[in-house]
Amino acid sequence: MAYTPQHDVVSGEQYRYALTNFRIAHEKVEEQRLQLQEQEKQVALLRARIALLEGTNQAHFGASKLNGNSVDDFSIKNAASGLERQINRWAAELTRTPPVPLNELRQAALVDVFDDDPAELGPQTPNATGVQVQSLLRHAVSKTMAEGIVNCLIITNSPEANIQLTRIHEHIFSRDPTVAAVWRRQTFSAAVETCSVDMSLFFLSEHMPNLTQLLSIGADTPKASPSGAVIPVLEAAYDFSRMLHSAPSSSGGQVDAFYRAFVPDVGAAMNPRHIELVKRCQRTERGEPDRVGATVFPGLVKVTRGVAGQSPDAMQTVVRRAQVICECALAGGVQAPATSTPSPVPQVN
């Protein structure tokens, strides 16, 4: 008996119904493909427009160049290391050849570090040591650099105008980080090229008034002198700040980032996620709690926020931990009220 193949047979109406659905589905897929292509074109045009406004004309976002179109975390760490060494050289030279007794230098630094609150000061050692004075000097300069230069957009030689411009940037950033990035970089394209001596003296008078008065730092102070050498340090800090704020970051096209500095307070609990010890801490090695003795260089955080309509909360990523010396390494030279929580990284409203 010959085998007769079996065939599935459907009615003409079912066949036409299936064919119609297949055609509709195919048209929908093709429509979605065209929409995606159009979106990619619009994104490419937007990126090209942003690059044109920034004056970079970069082929793509995310180039990792310090002297090129953008700045990345690795370049920032290298630049920060150079600035840290310059601060250390100034503090070491001033401690090696102090124009005033070390005890007076330590006392002035402590008053500046604690924002003119002498009630918190009570060093156990009657005679200041070089490590104490050098570390406190570095802390005072780090605080000046963080609060006065990095965390405030220095665009003009007017402190009041710079404060207003910083507030404008924070307001724009809270609404749309991409617009804030374009505004910030366009604004920095017209910023002062260098930090003037008057601006440096303003930073010192605001954040290091007692040390400035004790060391007689003024407009006529030679920059080559141990006291006046702090002026080139602040000028280098301004160049570092301008590098952070004026160049496109390598965060890509979805988010834009800007950088802020933070300085853990003297006497604060040590948080290993935010600090890095520059000297061994014997108490920590024994499992005992210890506190910050001095911050010798600020930490840096990268603040990002999603594009408009997405991720409204700012996200902070520690790019470089603050460089800290603990209290036991300072031989108990700095005493401050214990704090239950570590010094927080700066918050952005």
Side-chain angles (χ1 to χ4, degrees):
M1 180 178 178
Y3 174 74
T4 304
Q6 300 292 327
H7 298 282
D8 293 332
V9 179
V10 296
S11 64
E13 182 180 354
Q14 290 178 324
Y15 175 76
R16 288 188 295 272
Y17 177 78
L19 187 62
T20 300
N21 286 343
F22 177 79
R23 178 177 56 79
I24 293 175
H26 179 75
E27 291 176 352
K28 290 291 185 182
V29 171
E30 182 65 15
E31 181 181 351
Q32 291 176 356
R33 187 183 68 83
L34 294 175
Q35 289 177 352
L36 289 175
Q37 285 184 344
E38 183 62 26
Q39 289 178 0
E40 291 176 356
K41 291 180 181 179
Q42 294 298 327
V43 170
L45 290 174
L46 178 59
R47 290 183 175 181
R49 180 61 176 169
I50 292 175
L52 179 62
L53 290 173
E54 292 174 347
T56 58
N57 292 325
Q58 55 190 8
H60 62 87
F61 281 31
S64 300
K65 299 178 181 178
L66 177 60
N67 296 321
N69 293 329
S70 67
V71 61
D72 61 6
D73 296 346
F74 182 75
S75 301
I76 290 172
K77 291 178 181 179
N78 285 342
S81 297
L83 181 57
E84 181 182 358
R85 289 192 295 269
Q86 187 172 352
I87 294 175
N88 185 41
R89 285 195 298 269
W90 166 76
E93 182 64 25
L94 187 60
T95 304
R96 189 179 301 111
T97 57
V100 296
L102 287 181
N103 280 350
E104 296 182 19
L105 201 56
R106 179 181 66 177
Q107 182 67 16
L110 283 170
V111 175
D112 285 339
V113 165
F114 286 109
D115 295 326
D116 294 327
D117 192 356
E120 296 185 357
L121 309 181
Q124 292 181 344
T125 53
N127 296 320
T129 64
V131 173
Q132 293 173 3
V133 174
Q134 183 175 343
S135 299
L136 289 172
L137 289 173
R138 294 176 69 180
H139 185 108
V141 172
S142 296
K143 187 177 179 182
T144 301
M145 166 186 163
E147 298 179 359
I149 300 178
V150 175
N151 294 346
C152 183
L153 302 184
I154 308 301
I155 309 297
T156 72
N157 287 322
S158 169
E160 295 79 8
N162 293 331
I163 292 173
Q164 291 298 324
L165 289 170
T166 302
R167 292 174 179 172
I168 292 173
H169 171 261
E170 291 178 353
H171 177 73
I172 299 175
F173 182 82
S174 65
R175 293 176 175 270
D176 192 320
T178 302
V179 175
V182 176
W183 180 91
R184 182 174 68 249
R185 291 157 196 161
Q186 283 294 97
T187 303
F188 262 96
S189 66
V192 291
E193 292 292 334
T194 59
C195 182
S196 65
V197 175
D198 290 339
M199 281 297 295
S200 297
L201 293 176
F202 170 78
F203 297 142
L204 293 174
S205 64
E206 283 290 307
H207 303 283
M208 296 170 49
N210 296 281
L211 281 171
T212 302
Q213 182 178 3
L214 180 66
L215 299 174
S216 301
I217 302 176
D220 299 330
T221 305
K223 294 182 179 181
S225 65
S227 299
V230 70
I231 301 297
V233 169
L234 296 181
E235 293 173 350
Y238 171 73
D239 292 337
F240 178 70
S241 174
R242 186 168 183 175
M243 179 199 72
L244 291 178
H245 299 314
S246 62
S249 71
S250 59
S251 299
Q254 298 300 318
V255 294
D256 183 78
F258 77 101
Y259 297 87
R260 291 179 65 86
F262 66 95
V263 177
D265 295 329
V266 172
M270 296 194 297
N271 186 341
R273 292 179 299 177
H274 297 162
I275 69 167
E276 181 178 357
L277 291 172
V278 298
K279 290 182 179 293
R280 290 180 57 186
C281 179
Q282 297 179 358
R283 293 181 185 174
T284 301
E285 292 179 353
R286 295 195 301 264
E288 302 174 2
D290 201 359
R291 301 181 297 174
V292 174
T295 300
V296 298
F297 193 79
L300 288 172
V301 293
K302 178 167 59 178
V303 185
T304 57
R305 190 188 298 268
V307 296
Q310 302 178 11
S311 182
D313 297 330
M315 297 175 292
Q316 299 186 2
T317 304
V318 178
V319 174
R320 192 178 194 270
R321 291 181 293 174
Q323 306 299 295
V324 167
I325 183 171
C326 63
E327 282 188 345
C328 69
L330 283 179
V334 181
Q335 295 295 317
T339 54
S340 57
T341 57
S343 180
V345 296
Q347 298 296 320
V348 179
N349 297 324

